[in-house]
């Protein structure tokens, strides 16, 4: 799922922990509903609120489709990936489903996903190749097969408390942007000023998105094209990790992993204690009733504007290769991931960024003032590395070594040495 704060799933789902809604029970021919429509099982996980939004798009599709009926299988809670992998081995396997980072690579290696290239190249399709951002299309391509399409995306930006900056007479990140000087040095400077005013400067969360944003720039590949080598040993990676470590030690940055029980980056921000955090658009809906004005700016560049990059979580919707009627499944997938489906799921302000043209107003309506930054970030965004998708557990090994650094168990040199050794070992498997 897209990385975001998960709400408690206040949903009664029975013993199986899933909610099956919509669609008719199968009757007559296998894969057909009682009234003769092709039946498609769609499975997705999320909070109760998220599942409600997803189902709206399913209901809209069912209402307009003459030949296909979708059964919605919602999985609340945190064990969605486990349920998907179990279901794929049973007779109840879904025809299409959201694929998480933890399983997408393995599903491709096991050849369990349908190649949707021919559908994307069909001139009559609701969703075409040109509708998918280039960086995501490349990331969902394995051995020349496109095995997923984005449901939406979430390029990350810096959220900042504009009133806090002004009240403390600190130059705002937007002022640095306007001057063309919003770089790592500026981020450190304003974080130190917030710290000196007894506030939390910047909150760092240790997962691939924030970490790789600090370690790599736009022109720096994390892995070679053949995915046999990594660049964790580069001078840029070392400089980025040193920068991160020194700011955590000086308390200009706060490591989210060290927060006390009940604290989180968003609660610190909402309470006015934290000046900045780094996140996708998943916080916009939660920040509508703040007691202060906030805004967003791009993630700062390292030294030069051409190095600008940000992380962008994006979940693919995939089709089970064993589905009985791929044409019927694609009819739904292209609706759900196309303009109509994304518009329905992001009703109001939404919590993500559309990947198709024509829906910019969803992002630009309401707050924050510089919401255009979400849209501008899509094309420069770093997506989850394919090499790590194909080697489950490697990402956790990398972030695990960085956590040891941030809590003082090892230095930068040892951290990088451990990461390089672990990654090289994995890539050779």
């Amino acid at each position: 799922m897209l990385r975001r704060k998960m709400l408690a799933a206040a949903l009664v789902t029975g013993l199986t922990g899933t909610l099956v809604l919509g669609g008719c029970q199968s009757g007559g021919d296998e894969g057909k509903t009682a009234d003769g429509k092709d039946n498609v099982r769609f499975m997705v996980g999320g909070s109760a609120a998220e599942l409600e939004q997803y189902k709206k798009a399913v209901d809209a599709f069912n209402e307009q489709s003459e030949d296909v009926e979708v059964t919605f299988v919602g999985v609340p809670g945190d064990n969605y990936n486990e349920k998907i992998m179990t279901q794929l081995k049973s007779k109840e396997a879904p025809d299409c489903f959201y694929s998480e980072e933890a399983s997408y690579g393995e599903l491709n290696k096991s050849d369990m996903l349908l190649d949707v290239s021919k559908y994307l190249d069909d001139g009559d399709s609701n969703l075409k190749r040109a509708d998918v951002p280039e960086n995501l299309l490349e990331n969902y391509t394995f051995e020349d097969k496109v095995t997923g399409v984005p449901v939406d995306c979430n390029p990350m930006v810096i959220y900042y408390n504009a009133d806090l900056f002004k009240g403390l007479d600190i130059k705002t990140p937007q002022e640095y942007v306007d001057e063309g000087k919003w770089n790592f040095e500026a981020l450190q400077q304003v974080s130190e000023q917030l710290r000196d005013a007894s506030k939390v400067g910047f909150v760092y969360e240790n997962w691939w998105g924030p970490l790789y944003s600090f370690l790599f720039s736009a022109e720096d590949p994390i892995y070679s094209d053949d995915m046999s080598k990594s660049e964790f040993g580069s001078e840029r990676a070392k400089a980025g990790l040193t920068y991160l470590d020194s700011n955590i030690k000086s308390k200009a940055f706060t490591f989210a992993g060290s927060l006390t029980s009940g604290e989180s980056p968003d609660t610190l921000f909402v309470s006015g204690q934290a000046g900045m955090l780094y996140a996708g658009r998943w916080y916009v809906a939660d920040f509508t009733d703040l007691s202060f004005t906030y805004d967003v700016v791009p993630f700062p560049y390292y030294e030069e504007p051409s190095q600008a990059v940000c992380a962008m979580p994006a979940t693919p919707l995939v089709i089970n290769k064993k589905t009985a009627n791929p044409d019927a499944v694609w009819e739904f997938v292209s609706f759900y991931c196309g303009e109509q489906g994304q518009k329905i799921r992001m009703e109001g302000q939404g919590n993500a960024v559309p990947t198709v043209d024509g829906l910019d107003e969803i992002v630009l309506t309401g707050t924050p003032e510089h919401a255009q930054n979400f849209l501008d970030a899509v094309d420069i965004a770093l997506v989850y590395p394919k090499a790590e998708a194909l080697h489950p557990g490697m990402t956790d090994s990398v972030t695990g070594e960085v956590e040891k650094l941030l809590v003082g168990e090892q230095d930068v040199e040892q951290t990088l040495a451990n990461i390089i050794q672990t990654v090289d070992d994995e890539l050779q498997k």
Side-chain angles (χ1 to χ4, degrees):
M1 303 302 300
L2 297 177
R3 184 179 177 91
R4 59 178 70 113
K5 182 183 67 175
M6 297 297 287
L7 303 174
L11 194 62
V12 178
T13 59
L15 296 176
T16 63
T18 60
L19 179 69
V20 181
L21 295 170
C24 305
Q25 293 299 314
S26 193
D29 296 335
E30 183 178 356
K32 296 285 187 179
T33 62
D35 56 358
K37 289 186 176 183
D38 290 311
N39 181 238
V40 171
R41 284 174 56 84
F42 166 50
M43 192 169 181
V44 59
S47 68
E50 288 170 329
L51 294 178
E52 183 180 355
Q53 284 300 112
Y54 302 155
K55 188 176 181 298
K56 286 180 181 179
V58 173
D59 290 343
F61 173 82
N62 284 338
E63 185 175 340
Q64 60 89 47
S65 179
E66 298 179 356
D67 303 312
V68 181
E69 185 83 10
V70 175
T71 298
F72 179 79
V73 184
V75 182
D78 299 326
N79 61 345
Y80 169 75
N81 191 62
E82 183 179 315
K83 285 186 177 295
I84 274 289
M85 300 308 287
T86 299
Q87 291 245 331
L88 286 173
K89 299 173 184 177
S90 73
K91 293 181 180 180
E92 296 299 316
D95 295 292
C96 56
F97 54 96
Y98 278 40
S99 180
E100 294 186 343
E101 294 165 359
S103 60
Y104 185 52
E106 189 61 35
L107 290 170
N108 277 282
K109 287 171 68 175
S110 302
D111 196 26
M112 300 179 73
L113 304 179
L114 185 74
D115 179 8
V116 298
S117 299
K118 73 171 186 177
Y119 295 112
L120 290 171
D121 293 332
D122 185 343
D124 294 326
S125 175
N126 283 327
L127 186 68
K128 300 177 179 63
R129 193 178 290 265
D131 296 323
V132 182
E134 187 175 340
N135 49 4
L136 290 177
L137 185 65
E138 192 281 330
N139 215 46
Y140 298 156
T141 302
F142 291 78
E143 298 181 352
D144 297 324
K145 300 176 182 177
V146 181
T147 59
V149 289
V151 296
D152 49 41
C153 63
N154 243 313
M156 296 175 68
V157 297
I158 299 288
Y159 287 70
Y160 72 95
N161 183 332
D163 288 351
L164 180 61
F165 274 79
K166 292 175 183 177
L168 295 173
D169 197 26
I170 298 173
K171 183 188 292 188
T172 67
Q174 184 59 48
E175 290 177 285
Y176 281 100
V177 170
D178 292 340
E179 294 174 357
K181 298 179 179 179
W182 182 233
N183 53 24
F184 276 24
E185 182 180 354
L187 175 64
Q188 178 173 325
Q189 183 172 336
V190 295
S191 296
E192 290 172 342
Q193 291 174 301
L194 288 164
R195 175 204 62 196
D196 293 344
S198 299
K199 296 292 183 179
V200 174
F202 172 78
V203 185
Y204 170 76
E205 295 185 82
N206 190 40
W207 54 281
W208 73 264
L211 177 61
Y212 295 170
S213 299
F214 280 109
L215 267 56
F216 302 98
S217 296
E219 73 277 16
D220 302 318
I222 303 177
Y223 296 94
S224 60
D225 290 342
D226 64 359
M227 295 180 284
S228 64
K229 298 178 182 178
S230 79
E231 293 298 324
F232 287 103
S234 68
E235 287 301 313
R236 174 68 183 86
K238 182 177 181 180
L241 194 60
T242 301
Y243 171 87
L244 182 60
D245 179 47
S246 64
N247 278 286
I248 294 290
K249 287 179 177 175
S250 73
K251 300 188 186 308
F253 294 178
T254 295
F255 173 37
S258 67
L259 297 177
T260 60
S261 177
E263 290 184 327
S264 63
D266 58 312
T267 59
L268 288 176
F269 190 78
V270 170
S271 68
Q273 289 300 303
M276 296 176 289
L277 52 78
Y278 183 39
R281 208 167 164 269
W282 51 82
Y283 282 138
V284 169
D286 294 337
F287 290 174
T288 54
D289 297 317
L290 297 180
S291 61
F292 56 84
T293 299
Y294 82 94
D295 205 353
V296 296
V297 291
F299 187 78
Y301 55 85
Y302 176 49
E303 292 178 329
E304 301 295 333
S306 62
Q307 297 172 309
V309 74
C310 72
M312 184 170 74
T315 301
L317 182 56
V318 301
I319 299 177
N320 185 348
K321 190 175 182 179
K322 294 182 178 179
T323 185
N325 194 335
D327 290 350
V329 182
W330 178 255
E331 182 182 330
F332 166 67
V333 169
S334 61
F335 174 92
Y336 189 88
C337 297
E339 181 177 353
Q340 291 172 283
Q342 291 198 37
K343 184 175 183 180
I344 293 167
R345 287 184 284 112
M346 296 185 211
E347 182 182 14
Q349 276 196 300
N351 60 2
V353 174
T355 55
V356 294
D357 292 335
L359 299 179
D360 288 1
E361 284 307 309
I362 291 174
V363 177
L364 299 176
T365 299
T367 56
E369 179 181 353
H370 291 89
Q372 180 67 39
N373 286 315
F374 287 112
L375 299 171
D376 294 341
V378 173
D379 290 334
I380 65 165
L382 168 70
V383 295
Y384 185 59
K386 191 184 299 185
E388 295 182 26
L390 290 169
H391 293 84
M394 192 160 75
T395 308
D396 289 342
S397 295
V398 172
T399 55
E401 291 296 334
V402 173
E403 181 164 351
K404 293 177 187 177
L405 167 70
L406 300 183
V407 299
E409 294 180 5
Q410 58 191 25
D411 60 17
V412 170
E413 287 72 18
Q414 187 61 57
T415 300
L416 286 172
N418 292 350
I419 289 174
I420 292 167
Q421 183 65 58
T422 298
V423 169
D424 285 350
D425 289 346
E426 283 293 325
L427 293 178
Q428 300 312 309
K429 292 180 179 178

